[in-house]
Amino acid sequence: MTLTHSDSDSGLKSTELYSESICGYSVSQKIRSKVRDLTVEFLSINKHIDRSVSCIQFPYYHHVYADEVKDFERQLNYLKNYGDFISIDHAVEILHSKSPINGRYFCLTFDDGQLCCYKYALPVLAKLSIPGTFYIVTEFVGKSFTPDSKITRDVFGYRGIKTTLDFMSWDQCREALSADITIGSHSVSHTRLSVLTDNEVNFELLGSKNKIEDNIGRQCIHFCAPYGIPSRDFNIITHGRLARDIGYISFATGSRGINELGDSPLELRRDHLLASWSNNQLKYFLAKP
């Protein structure tokens, strides 16, 4: 994939607000979003998050912008009432154990490596002493993409924005390590593995792993599949086995659900969240089915 990106002379400011990122939404999109939110609020009435449930859940975000910080912190404090936050290494260790999972655990992950997560999510995580994992796309590290670039429009779906889409630098990745952040791979180019040849998939997994390790000085042993839907975006058996053979100990998907004793770390289920969602919306998605 050939990348085109803006630089500091582009004259465009960075995307700092969630409202900026959705300014290109059509009226119908905004209406559908509002209806969806109201529906989930209603359906959450009979949902409950029980602290005694024995499982690990992986709430994940793509972004935390400046206007989402307050709600993001509220969400984390809310979830603290129902479970303990653990690192992804600890989560994998628990899943591999033959002992029962005692209690409910949350393991936070963030996809893509957007700069806003470093600027706005990381300080909240440090303040609350919560570990997390940043899955980064190695070709995007340190880059800023203009509103009309293919990456902005077609890869990440931002349309109509007037600001750049920015990604963490290697220096920022290294700095995040000191705040109990794990750096994982989200591939080299954020391409669906399902459209690639076996050799190309191997390059996406191994090339990103090597690049991360060379730049942060630590092992990269956690992988997250771009787009994330099994069967459509990747083959969980074939690609999971390849990830294991390359040296990854976990393979994260975008499929919702809990992870229980006996479940494979090479097929992690995760729950996508928006930092602006209400506690009721979190309750709806994170309640045990």
Side-chain angles (χ1 to χ4, degrees), residues 15 17-25 63 65 158-159 161 163:
T15 303
L17 303 175
Y18 181 58
S19 58
E20 293 173 342
S21 72
I22 61 173
C23 67
Y25 279 18
H63 54 75
Y65 291 113
Y158 288 83
R159 298 178 184 277
I161 65 171
T163 55

Side-chain angles (χ1 to χ4, degrees), residues 12-37:
L12 293 169
K13 67 185 184 73
S14 302
T15 303
E16 298 289 338
L17 303 175
Y18 181 58
S19 58
E20 293 173 342
S21 72
I22 61 173
C23 67
Y25 279 18
S26 66
V27 172
S28 61
Q29 285 177 307
K30 291 177 181 178
I31 292 174
R32 285 198 301 271
S33 179
K34 186 65 175 177
V35 170
R36 175 199 163 284
D37 288 347

Side-chain angles (χ1 to χ4, degrees), residues 211-238:
K211 188 74 169 181
I212 290 169
E213 292 176 347
D214 288 345
N215 279 278
I216 70 170
R218 294 191 187 181
Q219 279 191 310
C220 175
I221 53 177
H222 303 285
F223 180 79
C224 175
Y227 302 100
I229 305 303
S231 299
R232 185 193 74 184
D233 301 322
F234 58 89
N235 183 310
I236 191 60
I237 296 175
T238 302

